[in-house]
Amino acid sequence: MRRAPCDNGSAVRKAAIALVVALLVLGLPSLAAAGLGDVRARGVLRWGGDLQGGEPYVSQRPDGSLVGFEVDLARAIAAKLGVREQFVQNDWSTLLASLERGTFDVILNGFEITDERVGRVAFTRPYYVFAERLTARKGETRFGADLSQLRGRRVGTLGASLAYDTLSAAGADVVLYEGQEEPYADLAAGRTDAVLLDDIIAQRYATRHAELATLGDVREGVYAMAARLGDRDLVTAIDGALGELIASGELRAILARSGIDDPREAKLESYGHPAGDMLRGLRRDGHGAAIAESAAPRATSLGPGHLWLFLQGAGVTLLVSVLAMAIAVPLGLLLALLRTHGPRWLGAIATGYVEVYRGTPVLLQLYVLYYGLAPVVRVGALTAAIVGLGMNYAAYEAETHRAGILAVPPGQMEAARALGMSVPLALRRIVVPQALRFAMPNVTSDFIALLKDSSLVSVITVVELTKRMTITAVDVRSWLVPGLLCGALYFAMSFPLARLARRLEAR
Amino acid sequence: MSLTLELRGIRKRREARWVLDGVTLSIGRGVVYALLGESGTGKSTLLRCTQGLETIDEGEVKVGGRALCSSGVLDESVRRRIGLVFQQHHLFAHRTALENVVEAPVHVGKMPPAEARSRAVELLERLGIAHRRDARPADLSGGESQRVAIARAMAMGPEVLLLDEPTSALDPARRKDVARLLRGLAAEGTALLVATHDLPFAKEVADRAGLLGQGRLLGEGRVEELVPGG
């Protein structure tokens, strides 16, 4: 259909539509405050979770579809609310911060009800009762499934979890992981003494390692969905939906489909609100109740203790960076010399090394070195961090040194050869000392970059400055002050180096 | 007169061109031989080939009767008997003048550092540059830098000294000094092969001369005979 060149009617209609759209868009923030109204208006319940948590919670099939009991639960609840559900991927340790920012409407991802969280989010009634299960290597006799025996032991778990709080209170040496497979792999490799995680995680992941065995359960906990404090109406609506699913047996059927239904789940019917009362009830019911009660309350405001922890984190950052650089500089020089003066085949190997290490993410290299090679080489986390970063940076240093070597005039090598020096001797005495001088400013800049890249080693459980910051931020419920403190410490370490680099450049 | 340096039928190809096309010459003890010729006639290449910095395609280099290269392998002990002073000197930029001279005797000749040092100071004194011993190459003038380069080459006690355009970095007034200095070295028995296109200097310094053109030796004799009116 051809349009009339000047169709006033359609222009007015378009303006009206634009106005309505603009009002809707502008009106969104105010609607966001009323959670249920927003969800209904949108027709979508957005729920946040982390696919890295994997099965049975929520995981992704190769074809892109999502599976897991939480997916089934989200669908069932959305259906009761008369809306669709939509999954939003989010790092598990920052679920709470993202909820508050409004990235999604609810958290639904093995999110435990804890004292700390009760004041910060609005919990629904629980949808799953779990036990914190202690796993160790077979034949472990030094300790049992008793929190009081874990003081000083290296125990792995996930960050910002109930298990982490429990272990911290018990005085254990907690080792933090990002995913659920890694703690058990490390335990099997002998890098930790035990793992404390939710029983459904232990069932799935610990049993893959023949050398591991369950020591027992230390306490119970519950998963519930969590909404922003202001969205009580949404919580009430979800509570209603959950109540119906529990009463009708649908929830138990969903759990059974994922193979995680057990007699403990009968308690779901009696667990209601308010959350605080229920927590007290849980403590009375749980196996480790006495210990949980006696544990010292955790600090929730920034204090001098945190500063000390931050300084320790900065110390780890500096240690990892300095030692990694101590590997990277000589190894890089060797690679550069092989490329510029070595036999062709060795030069090709050096080139291959540089291209592979520069062409793949350092994060991947750390994973492969620490977890992938664990069955072959069992190195500690700190060693793996230093070696991993060192080998990665060696590739960059190789290029820096190569530029330095090529910057030395060829006449220097010729003069040395004319005096009867062999090539290795000429390199050592004449070319390399001058090349290092050319490379120094860039090596210093690379060191500053390494100082910051060293935060990546937290994925292999090394608690350095940035990891300390994220842990503290979760503890004190604030990212601003810990973030500024963390940044100040990085700056205090890198600024003198930057000055040094400028001085070297000026020479 | 014993022959210290012998070049026989030296040929060197660069891509499709013979840059050296059968050069034969010999120099005895205490003789200064000037290699004359325009730029690009292969003077520098001949010096580099004589010192083993570049390979030759045909021919032979001998010092005191011993071949520099036997069955394709460079004999470092023969090479050490030939010193080379580059046109741009190529002093080691990260070392002082004295350290430049000490470097090879200690690390190649395995001489005790103290001995190498005192001999280096002696050499620098003889060349009149000892007062600049602690200067870096970047702070030396062209003439100073050249003397250090000569001292560095002489520190290895070579029987043959090759010099590439020794007057190019000097103002004309200093030519006489260099000529006197080289004559002094020859008087002590060193054979000198000096590539230069500076005729007044060549006349002053050389006992004999050879004229190089298009990779060949066009003639040998006294400088005046080779370049009439030059």
Side-chain angles (χ1 to χ4, degrees):
Chain A
M1 187 186 82
R2 269 192 82 229
R3 268 197 188 179
C6 184
D7 185 342
N8 277 328
S10 118
V12 168
R13 227 174 10 248
K14 269 196 251 173
I17 290 169
L19 188 66
V20 170
V21 168
L23 283 176
L24 275 176
V25 170
L26 291 172
L28 273 180
S30 58
L31 286 174
L36 183 61
D38 185 26
V39 168
R40 289 244 157 91
R42 214 189 303 120
V44 174
L45 174 68
R46 297 172 308 175
W47 57 288
D50 189 354
L51 288 171
Q52 206 189 346
E55 58 163 5
Y57 300 92
V58 48
S59 58
Q60 198 161 28
R61 285 215 193 93
D63 65 8
S65 64
L66 299 176
V67 286
F69 77 97
E70 288 173 342
V71 179
D72 296 340
L73 181 59
R75 283 184 189 142
I77 287 170
K80 294 267 182 210
L81 298 182
V83 295
R84 287 183 299 113
E85 53 80 31
Q86 185 186 40
F87 174 75
V88 180
Q89 166 62 30
N90 195 99
D91 209 58
W92 201 81
S93 57
T94 56
L95 278 173
L96 219 162
S98 293
L99 174 73
E100 290 179 335
R101 285 186 68 245
T103 311
F104 37 76
D105 307 307
V106 289
I107 296 170
L108 170 50
N109 197 211
F111 201 65
E112 312 98 325
I113 297 183
T114 63
D115 286 329
E116 287 75 21
R117 289 171 183 163
V118 162
R120 192 158 168 198
V121 294
F123 275 109
T124 66
R125 60 184 291 176
Y127 62 85
Y128 192 73
V129 184
F130 69 94
E132 293 288 10
R133 183 158 293 172
L134 193 67
T135 308
R137 283 182 297 278
K138 273 180 183 155
E140 182 60 73
T141 53
R142 293 172 295 171
F143 55 90
D146 184 340
L147 285 174
S148 65
Q149 295 175 19
L150 293 181
R151 177 167 293 278
R153 300 261 174 226
R154 275 177 74 76
V155 187
T157 191
L158 298 175
S161 65
L162 178 65
Y164 168 65
D165 294 349
T166 308
L167 286 170
S168 304
D173 177 10
V174 188
V175 184
L176 293 181
Y177 297 86
E178 307 275 321
Q180 311 183 341
E181 165 61 20
E182 294 94 324
Y184 295 106
D186 254 15
L187 175 60
R191 285 167 174 153
T192 53
D193 296 321
V195 170
L196 184 70
L197 275 175
D198 310 1
D199 55 351
I200 56 176
I201 299 175
Q203 269 164 28
R204 301 269 165 159
Y205 296 92
T207 48
R208 293 179 187 175
H209 299 272
E211 58 271 63
L212 301 183
T214 299
L215 278 186
D217 297 338
V218 300
R219 67 176 288 184
E220 274 185 4
V222 292
Y223 297 149
M225 292 165 67
R228 284 175 289 274
L229 283 175
D231 295 350
R232 291 276 172 203
D233 56 343
L234 180 59
V235 170
T236 308
I238 292 174
D239 274 348
L242 266 173
E244 288 173 32
L245 293 173
I246 290 167
S248 67
E250 273 178 80
L251 179 60
R252 296 288 293 270
I254 287 173
L255 299 180
R257 259 210 304 286
S258 285
I260 56 168
D261 191 29
D262 54 49
R264 211 182 272 129
E265 306 313 317
K267 294 177 187 170
L268 284 174
E269 286 174 46
S270 58
Y271 284 157
H273 269 142
D277 292 344
M278 192 194 58
L279 274 177
R280 277 189 286 283
L282 270 176
R283 287 225 183 80
R284 278 193 297 278
D285 292 350
H287 301 274
I291 287 103
E293 295 283 11
S294 68
R298 293 174 57 221
T300 50
S301 63
L302 267 178
H306 280 111
L307 184 63
W308 176 236
L309 286 174
F310 270 55
L311 286 173
Q312 282 179 321
V316 173
T317 291
L318 205 56
L319 179 78
V320 168
S321 305
V322 167
L323 293 183
M325 209 60 186
I327 293 175
V329 171
L331 181 57
L333 182 59
L334 178 70
L335 290 167
L337 286 171
L338 288 177
R339 290 184 76 179
T340 54
H341 291 87
R344 192 175 293 241
W345 64 277
L346 272 176
I349 290 175
T351 305
Y353 180 101
V354 170
E355 294 309 332
V356 167
Y357 270 88
R358 285 199 312 174
T360 55
V362 62
L363 206 57
L364 175 75
Q365 292 161 17
L366 288 170
Y367 269 121
V368 169
L369 179 67
Y370 190 65
Y371 296 117
L373 297 183
V376 193
V377 272
R378 291 191 176 173
V379 289
L382 196 62
T383 311
I386 291 163
V387 171
L389 281 178
M391 289 180 71
N392 177 269
Y393 264 73
Y396 293 94
E397 292 319 293
E399 288 302 278
T400 300
H401 286 311
R402 199 165 70 101
I405 291 166
L406 295 179
V408 177
Q412 296 286 309
M413 175 56 117
E414 291 209 320
R417 298 283 294 133
L419 285 169
M421 292 194 195
S422 62
V423 172
L425 181 65
L427 286 174
R428 187 163 62 81
R429 299 284 313 168
I430 307 301
V431 176
V432 168
Q434 296 185 56
L436 284 179
R437 204 164 292 180
F438 288 126
M440 252 353 255
N442 288 328
V443 170
T444 313
S445 301
D446 286 347
F447 185 71
I448 296 172
L450 171 60
L451 207 59
K452 293 173 290 173
D453 276 0
S454 67
S455 63
L456 292 170
V457 304
S458 66
V459 299
I460 57 172
T461 77
V462 176
V463 181
E464 40 61 65
L465 186 49
T466 301
K467 186 68 178 179
R468 174 56 60 199
M469 190 274 290
T470 56
I471 293 171
T472 306
V474 172
D475 278 356
V476 304
R477 305 175 193 179
S478 158
W479 288 78
L480 189 61
V481 179
L484 287 174
L485 182 56
C486 172
L489 283 169
Y490 272 111
F491 188 73
M493 291 188 280
S494 67
F495 185 65
L497 285 166
R499 290 291 297 268
L500 177 68
R502 218 167 302 148
R503 278 244 308 270
L504 290 171
E505 231 160 307
R507 261 203 348 213
Chain B
M1 190 168 73
S2 66
L3 292 179
T4 304
L5 176 69
E6 292 172 83
L7 306 182
R8 194 167 297 155
I10 307 289
R11 296 188 85 198
K12 165 82 181 171
R13 188 165 51 196
R14 204 167 274 153
E15 277 145 29
R17 202 168 73 88
W18 290 100
V19 284
L20 295 175
D21 196 3
V23 178
T24 299
L25 64 85
S26 52
I27 310 173
R29 263 177 68 86
V31 171
V32 179
Y33 188 111
L35 193 60
L36 305 175
E38 298 297 312
S39 313
T41 48
K43 298 193 301 291
S44 290
T45 308
L46 184 65
L47 295 193
R48 294 168 61 83
C49 287
T50 304
Q51 223 275 335
L53 279 178
E54 286 186 40
T55 56
I56 52 178
D57 296 295
E58 284 172 39
E60 196 177 32
V61 177
K62 276 186 176 179
V63 179
R66 286 185 56 194
L68 174 71
C69 205
S70 50
S71 55
V73 181
L74 200 68
D75 187 338
E76 287 285 347
S77 70
V78 175
R79 180 191 214 175
R80 241 175 265 173
R81 295 161 75 175
I82 312 171
L84 172 59
V85 178
F86 295 87
Q87 185 176 353
Q88 277 90 19
H89 312 146
H90 297 326
L91 291 182
F92 302 137
H94 60 310
R95 299 267 194 260
T96 64
L98 183 62
E99 287 166 348
N100 261 275
V101 182
V102 168
E103 187 69 31
V106 171
H107 294 280
V108 180
K110 301 295 169 205
M111 190 184 283
E115 187 188 339
R117 224 182 131 78
S118 67
R119 286 190 48 172
V121 171
E122 213 172 285
L123 257 174
L124 290 174
E125 273 167 1
R126 264 174 52 206
L127 294 170
I129 191 73
H131 61 290
R132 299 287 277 151
R133 71 176 79 165
D134 294 323
R136 298 262 166 191
D139 300 326
L140 296 174
S141 72
E144 290 173 335
S145 160
Q146 182 181 56
R147 281 155 193 257
V148 175
I150 292 172
R152 183 175 70 174
M154 290 309 291
M156 290 300 280
E159 292 153 56
V160 179
L161 186 64
L162 315 175
L163 294 104
D164 196 358
E165 299 288 359
T167 57
S168 67
L170 306 179
D171 48 281
R174 306 301 298 272
R175 275 187 204 143
K176 273 191 174 5
D177 296 344
V178 181
R180 200 179 313 128
L181 196 152
L182 297 185
R183 294 291 336 162
L185 295 177
E188 287 162 35
T190 313
L192 275 74
L193 178 58
V194 183
T196 184
H197 64 265
D198 180 348
L199 287 176
F201 170 70
K203 275 179 199 162
E204 200 146 350
V205 78
D207 300 302
R208 285 170 61 224
L211 181 63
L212 204 61
Q214 299 195 323
R216 292 165 191 272
L217 211 50
L218 302 176
E220 282 190 291
R222 294 175 52 78
V223 176
E224 294 83 346
E225 297 164 8
L226 289 173
V227 193

